[in-house]
Amino acid sequence: MRRALASFSLGLLTSVALAAEDAPLLRVGLSTAWAAPFLSQREGQAPEGLNAELGHLLAQQLKRKASFVMLPRARLDQAAEAGEIDLRCHTNPDWVRQPGLYEWSPPLWALPEVLVGSTNSAPLQRLADMRLDQTVGAVLHYSYPLLDAQFGAGTWKRDDAPAPDKALRKLALGRTQYAVTTQFELSHYLREQPDPPLGRWRLPLGHANAHCAVPRASKVRAADVFAALQALREQGLLDALLRRHGIPTVAVVAAAQSELPALGRDEVEALFLRRLKTLEDGRVPQLLVPGDAWLAPFAEQVLRRSAAQLRAEWSRATFSGGSRKPLQLDTPSQLRAQLRRQPLAIGVLPLHELDASLKILYLP
Amino acid sequence: MRRVRMLGWGLLALAPLVQASEGVEEPHPWQIEGYGTLAAHVADDPVVGVRGDGRNRNTSLNGRVRFDGDSLLAVQTRYEFAPGVQAVWQLLARDDVRYGQRPRNEWIYLGWDAQPNLNLKLGRTALPVFLHSETRHLGYAQTTARPVNTVYQLNPFTHVDGLALRHARSLAQGELRTEFSAGRAELALPSGTIDANRMVSLALRYDEGPWSLRVAGSDYRFDMHLANVQRLYSQLIAGTTACTNCAAVLAARAPLEGVHAQVQTVALQHESGSWSLTAEIARRSSNNSIVADSLAWYVLAAHRLGDWSPYAVLGEIRFKEPPLGLQTHPAAPAAARQANQLIDLYLQTPNDRRITQLGLRWDFHARAALKLQWERYRATREGRITGQSHYLEVPAPPPIGPYQGPAWDGRVNQWSLNLDFVF
């Protein structure tokens, strides 16, 4: 079904592209440092993956034709400054040398970073447990706020690869002991490489938000691009794109300063279906869920139920004298505020609504 | 009963005097929510009427549409006095042979979370006999229009005045929940009233991923006040049908007082992806032929297609009482012998039936669902129909009742259209 949808959407994009043969171009910068599911390219073929499809969708909204400019990540800034590209996505103001070169969209999705080890490496509960002189695979030119100080001090060795999938391949081959990557690239790698010699543990390292950025030197108006992005979101096309590439659109989160641990799916299910009130350590969290618009993605992606089934479960809990249903807050900002106030609160938020004040406890 | 009601009112009256904990923003200590159903059902048989609920006053007969079968409104008030201490009061208005449409206290209790996963309740609560016992009236939480009657007929008690305990804990990859309840209850049925002096129920439920397994056992001791049956007994003992052993047999096999019954149930649920499967089986045994030993089951399969969920149910109930052996005086006419045979059969509850349901649930709104359901009842015990009064109202021929019309062919269809909502 997913494959059929992908074929359909690609077919749609192709036909639109053909119809827009004479349309003005939308020059989309793509980074060679990206890996699937964000970008994949076979020799002599057009780029594929989430970021390429997003470029096509935006071009379609703007009645333009997408033209991809593939560059090393470090060269994208130069191209933006020279007016050689109109758009780059999957980026962040902290990742570019001159954020002022661009106008920035609201966050599109969050990129949860994790540290993963080979089967021969010691599992880590926290970064401080890593032994000296361990080699950590990373991506060339990327910065890792939690690790950079240790790399700089020589505590751990940084081993750069041109893209995350290459860093994971080095890890699987035993050339590094650990690697840092996003959860999504790791999941894709594990799907493509059956049973690689990687440990099952993951150490969350926080998350960064991915934005689109329109260079100020571009002739395309940033407001038009951001309106097109908003239209994609409102039409559900952005979420459909993410889901098609196996990327969740919601996450179970807590305040960044909360001591709550990462959760497993079983634990999340037991808590949010109100079967249990406590965590494994006996603490009783307050549960927060978003408004009706985001209840369906939460129910389907996290609890593997429909929103109707979830509401039925909650009505059973409520009217059987059991637990209260989770507190439903209408807006993400209300939910974020409550999470910051209540260190024992666990909430569900759209992935693009995460910020540095939150940490991910469970990602479907 | 009056004491329980006064306790609840008193607790709720005290509520405003208690301050909620301050500091972080907590859910409001008051919580007022409700649920309801707007329903219509119609049955097509000219002889046998069908109820929406076994405690309805009226039946649908011969194509007459009834709106009072499943229609109901319930409001639940919950007040959290302090973290872990709550009072809950659920008022339910539903057509009932005893209360009519007047609201009744379905639940009213004081609850205390002795530990985060251990809750004690004192007052009126649900008796956790079946899978949906605690949400029997909550149509929104069920796939079908109403709980499947083959199984749910075996225990008409919906609540108990007494003590309830609920515990939950992690076990292996899932959660184990234990529910215990003990107390007493009064119950009105179309055929009379029942005073349960002691009811005890224990249920264990294990949930792991898409699977749920629930095992429960209940023990009841009660007295029955069934006017028609009492009148029949009086006639039999007085010799109207020349019965020679009725007084002894009825006292031994079918007394109206001192009934002791047990119900055991096993339910299995699987909810994965778009498929939902539920199977529930119940066995009832007792020391009384009127509360006939029985075995009932149903299997429900539903498939979700977006907001639409078509479903199908198969179910059966079988009663297993041996003949009472009512004797007729040798010199009595043949009609008397036939009458005693019919009464003997009647007291064995020969009301075996099989049901088939096909339905469609449409979740058209975040808090409302519309259901269309067809249900077919088919009597499966061969022989004469002696009358019954529960979900089916089958008229009883003489000498049990006055009915002298055409015989029932053993089949009846019921259509239901229910709009369930929560608020």
Side-chain angles (χ1 to χ4, degrees):
Chain A
M1 180 66 182
R2 184 176 289 179
R3 187 172 295 174
L5 276 174
S7 304
F8 172 75
S9 62
L10 280 174
L12 190 66
L13 290 170
T14 308
S15 61
V16 168
L18 287 173
E21 200 67 43
D22 299 327
L25 294 179
L26 178 71
R27 296 165 302 169
V28 182
L30 302 178
S31 168
T32 53
W34 292 339
F38 299 107
L39 186 71
S40 57
Q41 186 168 27
R42 295 188 190 92
E43 192 72 32
Q45 292 191 5
E48 294 177 350
L50 191 153
N51 288 334
E53 286 184 44
L54 178 59
H56 280 300
L57 285 170
L58 281 171
Q60 183 186 339
Q61 287 283 331
L62 294 165
K63 299 191 171 21
R64 288 171 175 266
K65 180 186 170 191
S67 166
F68 296 110
V69 181
M70 183 84 83
L71 291 169
R73 184 166 166 268
R75 288 273 323 278
L76 281 166
D77 271 352
Q78 294 169 24
E81 192 169 14
E84 293 168 7
I85 58 172
D86 301 313
L87 173 70
R88 57 184 291 195
C89 290
H90 197 82
T91 185
N92 182 293
D94 294 335
W95 300 347
V96 298
R97 292 198 185 108
Q98 294 175 272
L101 284 178
Y102 306 91
E103 291 191 59
W104 294 88
S105 77
L108 297 180
W109 56 79
L111 296 165
E113 290 185 330
V114 292
L115 194 74
V116 58
S118 72
T119 47
N120 296 325
S121 308
L124 301 178
Q125 296 282 335
R126 52 202 183 114
L127 268 181
D129 294 338
M130 195 190 294
R131 288 189 286 123
L132 297 177
D133 293 331
Q134 298 289 291
T135 306
V136 180
V139 178
L140 188 67
H141 298 312
Y142 268 72
S143 64
Y144 303 95
L146 288 177
L147 304 172
D148 283 346
Q150 307 295 334
F151 289 145
T155 313
W156 306 319
K157 294 176 192 161
R158 173 171 176 156
D159 184 286
D160 281 329
D165 55 337
K166 308 286 191 303
L168 289 168
R169 193 155 169 238
K170 280 183 166 184
L171 178 67
L173 292 170
R175 294 186 195 163
T176 59
Q177 280 87 48
Y178 300 95
V180 58
T181 180
T182 71
Q183 180 68 56
F184 306 136
E185 284 149 334
L186 175 61
S187 298
H188 189 276
Y189 179 81
L190 293 174
R191 277 198 299 273
E192 297 293 310
Q193 306 289 329
D195 206 21
L198 303 186
R200 291 183 177 276
W201 61 271
R202 310 282 180 263
L203 179 62
L205 296 177
H207 63 270
N209 284 327
H211 302 249
C212 282
V214 179
R216 294 185 190 278
S218 165
K219 289 179 182 166
V220 177
R221 289 179 55 219
D224 293 343
V225 175
F226 301 158
L229 275 172
Q230 182 61 24
L232 290 181
R233 186 176 295 291
E234 286 170 1
Q235 292 165 25
L237 295 174
L238 192 54
D239 285 348
L241 176 67
L242 292 169
R243 296 302 297 142
R244 207 159 55 238
H245 287 279
I247 294 181
T249 55
V250 294
V252 179
V253 297
Q257 76 276 13
S258 163
E259 293 177 1
L260 291 170
L263 302 172
R265 205 195 78 81
D266 292 342
E267 207 168 0
V268 171
E269 184 177 55
L271 287 170
F272 279 92
L273 294 182
R274 309 311 285 134
R275 292 174 184 164
L276 285 182
K277 291 181 183 173
T278 59
L279 298 168
E280 272 185 2
D281 59 12
R283 286 184 286 185
V284 184
Q286 183 188 25
L287 302 181
L288 312 171
V289 291
D292 285 345
W294 283 97
L295 211 51
F298 166 60
E300 284 161 15
Q301 294 170 34
V302 179
L303 303 176
R304 297 174 191 166
R305 284 165 168 77
S306 68
Q309 285 173 311
L310 178 59
R311 286 196 189 89
E313 292 270 5
W314 285 345
S315 68
R316 271 184 213 117
T318 300
F319 295 114
S320 66
S323 309
R324 279 182 164 192
K325 67 183 180 188
L327 185 61
Q328 192 165 17
L329 296 169
D330 291 336
T331 65
S333 58
Q334 286 176 324
L335 204 146
R336 272 197 304 266
Q338 179 67 2
L339 285 169
R340 289 184 202 117
R341 274 197 295 267
Q342 168 59 283
L344 268 182
I346 297 176
V348 176
L349 270 177
L351 219 51
H352 66 274
E353 294 286 355
L354 304 194
D355 60 24
S357 69
L358 303 172
K359 68 175 181 182
I360 295 174
L361 301 184
Y362 175 74
L363 194 67
Chain B
M1 170 61 199
R2 180 181 289 271
R3 279 197 298 269
V4 171
R5 195 176 300 173
M6 288 179 68
L7 170 69
W9 279 110
L11 291 172
L12 289 176
L14 281 172
L17 302 178
V18 185
Q19 294 297 314
S21 62
E22 294 187 0
V24 294
E25 190 175 312
E26 293 290 348
H28 200 280
W30 280 106
Q31 194 177 30
I32 299 177
E33 294 177 288
Y35 61 91
T37 298
L38 289 171
H41 76 108
V42 59
D44 63 357
D45 197 86
V47 177
V48 168
V50 183
R51 292 183 169 84
D53 182 79
R55 285 162 60 174
N56 285 156
R57 288 175 296 180
N58 302 307
T59 64
S60 171
L61 182 71
N62 203 18
R64 180 171 178 191
V65 178
R66 298 237 43 121
F67 298 96
D68 53 3
D70 295 307
S71 295
L72 63 91
L73 185 66
V75 177
Q76 178 171 292
T77 304
R78 176 188 173 112
Y79 185 79
E80 194 115 12
F81 292 90
V85 182
Q86 66 278 154
V88 176
W89 181 22
Q90 190 178 114
L91 271 175
L92 171 71
R94 175 175 198 167
D95 184 64
D96 183 274
V97 70
R98 178 173 182 175
Y99 297 97
Q101 298 284 1
R102 282 181 290 125
R104 61 186 196 249
N105 292 320
E106 185 65 6
W107 294 8
I108 183 163
Y109 64 81
L110 180 66
W112 173 48
D113 293 333
Q115 296 171 11
N117 288 318
L118 174 63
N119 177 262
L120 298 169
K121 296 187 180 84
L122 183 66
R124 173 168 294 183
T125 60
L127 192 66
V129 181
F130 301 120
L131 188 63
H132 299 299
S133 281
E134 295 176 317
T135 51
R136 190 171 181 145
H137 302 290
L138 179 57
Y140 180 77
Q142 293 161 30
T143 305
T144 53
R146 58 191 79 88
V148 182
N149 56 68
T150 49
V151 165
Y152 285 74
Q153 176 176 333
L154 291 186
N155 168 55
F157 293 100
T158 55
H159 57 250
V160 57
D161 296 331
L163 175 77
L165 179 150
R166 181 184 296 200
H167 181 255
R169 56 165 294 198
S170 298
L171 184 68
Q173 299 301 309
E175 303 83 43
L176 177 68
R177 285 182 283 176
T178 307
E179 293 174 79
F180 172 80
S181 186
R184 54 184 302 157
E186 299 171 0
L187 177 71
L189 292 171
S191 51
T193 61
I194 301 176
D195 288 337
N197 310 312
R198 197 197 77 181
M199 296 193 295
V200 180
S201 190
L202 177 67
L204 301 174
R205 175 174 173 143
Y206 182 71
D207 293 277
E208 184 178 322
W211 291 96
S212 300
L213 175 66
R214 187 181 186 281
V215 180
S218 307
D219 188 275
Y220 312 76
R221 291 182 186 273
F222 55 88
D223 300 328
M224 299 183 288
H225 310 285
L226 310 174
N228 284 344
V229 178
Q230 186 64 61
R231 195 176 309 119
L232 181 65
Y233 281 14
S234 300
Q235 291 170 358
L236 292 171
I237 293 168
T240 310
T241 59
C243 176
T244 57
N245 63 347
C246 276
V249 168
L250 294 176
R253 290 282 310 277
L256 296 180
E257 295 187 344
V259 181
H260 186 197
Q262 295 89 31
V263 174
Q264 292 97 29
T265 68
V266 178
L268 185 67
Q269 268 188 313
H270 181 71
E271 280 196 7
S272 181
S274 56
W275 282 97
S276 169
L277 296 168
T278 304
E280 190 166 15
I281 186 166
R283 189 177 72 119
R284 183 176 72 185
S285 57
S286 85
N287 63 351
N288 194 300
S289 122
I290 294 180
V291 184
D293 289 2
S294 39
L295 184 71
W297 59 268
Y298 69 84
V299 177
L300 158 66
H303 184 52
R304 183 164 54 84
L305 300 162
D307 294 332
W308 301 85
S309 297
Y311 59 87
V313 179
L314 288 177
E316 185 176 33
I317 183 168
R318 273 187 280 170
F319 297 92
K320 298 186 292 184
E321 278 296 326
L324 280 75
L326 300 183
Q327 301 288 327
T328 308
H329 194 281
R337 184 169 291 104
Q338 286 174 3
N340 283 330
Q341 286 173 348
L342 189 67
I343 291 166
D344 196 321
L345 185 63
Y346 172 68
L347 293 173
Q348 295 168 44
T349 319
N351 302 331
D352 298 10
R353 68 171 181 272
R354 195 168 289 159
I355 62 111
T356 307
Q357 290 179 6
L358 292 175
L360 184 64
R361 175 182 170 130
W362 178 29
D363 286 285
F364 68 98
H365 184 271
R367 288 171 181 78
L370 189 66
K371 296 171 192 165
L372 177 65
Q373 178 175 298
W374 166 77
E375 180 163 8
R376 181 186 198 187
Y377 296 78
R378 187 161 66 87
T380 52
R381 179 84 68 101
E382 289 184 4
R384 295 183 62 183
I385 299 301
T386 60
Q388 55 178 300
S389 184
H390 207 282
Y391 284 92
L392 296 183
E393 184 71 37
V394 184
I400 300 162
Y403 180 73
Q404 293 187 325
W408 181 37
D409 66 1
R411 293 172 189 202
V412 57
N413 295 294
Q414 179 192 31
W415 288 89
S416 306
L417 183 65
N418 288 18
L419 172 65
D420 299 312
F421 54 91
V422 292
F423 57 94

